[in-house]
Amino acid sequence: IGVMQRDGHYRVQTMGLDEYVAGVVAGEASAGASAAALEALAVTVRTYAAANLGRHARDGFDVCDLTHCQVLRTPTAATRRATSSTTGTMLVRDGRPADVFYTASCGGHTARPSDVWKGAIDAPFLPSAPDRACATPPTWNSEIASRDLRRALQAGGFAGDSIRSVTVASRSASGRVAWLRVDGLSPPEISGENLRTLVGRTLGWQYVRSTLFDVSRTAAGFRFTGRGAGHGVGLCVTGAAARAE
């Protein structure tokens, strides 16, 4: 495991798979989730880890402790129980760990991998489909000043001195923003997921929590109003918690 330090460098730490799973479930689960929800997440976390061994091979470890891989925290008694009760259990396809994903809240409709990652394979077990268990997620809204949004996009290679307007150009089948038109910058278009990532890395992940959003102009910048959290692919952690209840 690569554990990020305050100086921006990774410290390599070796741990057993179940110890890792218990820590990730602690980092990724919904607050107060019941045993069944934690067990479902434990199976998914274990499968993801097994399918992504060596993802950071160039850095000298398998996976990191950040959202790039899976968030790792100190295990709790509940996450240890969920891990031990599912030990050795993972999702398999064609004799190997399946390529699975999970998201904090799908906002009522899951997304296909290709909606989020260009060129990704859309496995039949990762559809774009309604999720009634997450049909009423909390909504969110935020305002980003024009200068801050420009700074976030410039960090991703966009050029220009001002942003005149931001409009939704197209949406995916799940209703998520596929592409946005950004007048004033070059190139003039950006994918919804790329905008979410650039804003998250530069300004904080609380501003654009998912790509299920609308955007409008304000006096100082742009207001984003949406629902859900995360990329929307795979297991919905919020929906799993509702089903467990």
Side-chain angles (χ1 to χ4, degrees):
I1 313 299
V3 180
M4 178 60 71
Q5 305 298 292
R6 291 183 178 180
D7 62 3
H9 293 87
Y10 287 108
R11 172 176 58 83
V12 180
Q13 179 178 344
T14 301
M15 63 175 64
L17 179 57
D18 274 3
E19 180 70 11
Y20 171 73
V21 170
V24 172
V25 174
E28 300 277 11
S30 295
S34 64
L38 296 179
E39 290 167 4
L41 184 56
V43 173
T44 310
V45 166
R46 185 181 293 108
T47 304
Y48 182 94
N52 286 276
L53 291 176
R55 191 179 190 197
H56 279 273
R58 291 185 177 181
D59 301 313
F61 51 87
D62 285 310
V63 291
C64 70
D65 68 336
L66 305 176
T67 54
H68 175 261
C69 293
Q70 301 189 108
V71 174
L72 184 66
R73 295 289 184 265
T74 302
T76 66
T79 67
R80 290 188 186 281
R81 285 193 298 270
T83 300
S84 62
S85 66
T86 62
T87 188
T89 304
M90 65 180 69
L91 302 166
V92 178
R93 187 186 190 203
D94 297 331
R96 63 177 299 274
D99 291 318
V100 298
F101 303 92
Y102 56 95
T103 190
S105 170
C106 73
H109 204 294
T110 59
R112 298 175 303 173
S114 64
D115 291 339
V116 180
W117 304 290
K118 185 178 180 180
I121 296 173
D122 292 328
F125 54 86
L126 295 172
S128 173
D131 183 355
R132 290 189 297 272
C134 189
T136 56
T139 58
W140 53 264
N141 67 82
S142 63
E143 184 172 349
I144 304 177
S146 294
R147 64 179 182 279
D148 291 333
L149 184 59
R150 185 180 73 248
R151 177 163 59 89
L153 298 188
Q154 286 175 336
F158 287 77
D161 296 328
S162 65
I163 299 177
R164 292 188 294 272
S165 67
V166 178
T167 55
V168 175
S170 63
R171 294 184 183 272
S172 68
S174 67
R176 288 170 169 78
V177 173
W179 288 94
L180 294 141
R181 176 82 185 181
V182 185
D183 289 327
L185 296 187
S186 178
E189 288 190 334
I190 183 173
S191 72
E193 188 61 29
N194 194 19
L195 179 136
R196 185 179 81 91
T197 300
L198 291 175
V199 169
R201 291 176 178 173
T202 308
L203 307 177
W205 296 98
Q206 72 275 18
Y207 287 102
V208 184
R209 299 180 188 179
S210 77
T211 55
L212 270 172
F213 65 76
D214 294 307
V215 59
S216 58
R217 196 72 161 95
T218 67
F222 300 90
R223 179 166 296 280
F224 293 81
T225 304
R227 65 185 192 277
H231 49 64
V233 180
L235 175 77
C236 174
V237 174
T238 299
R243 284 186 170 86
E245 288 301 321

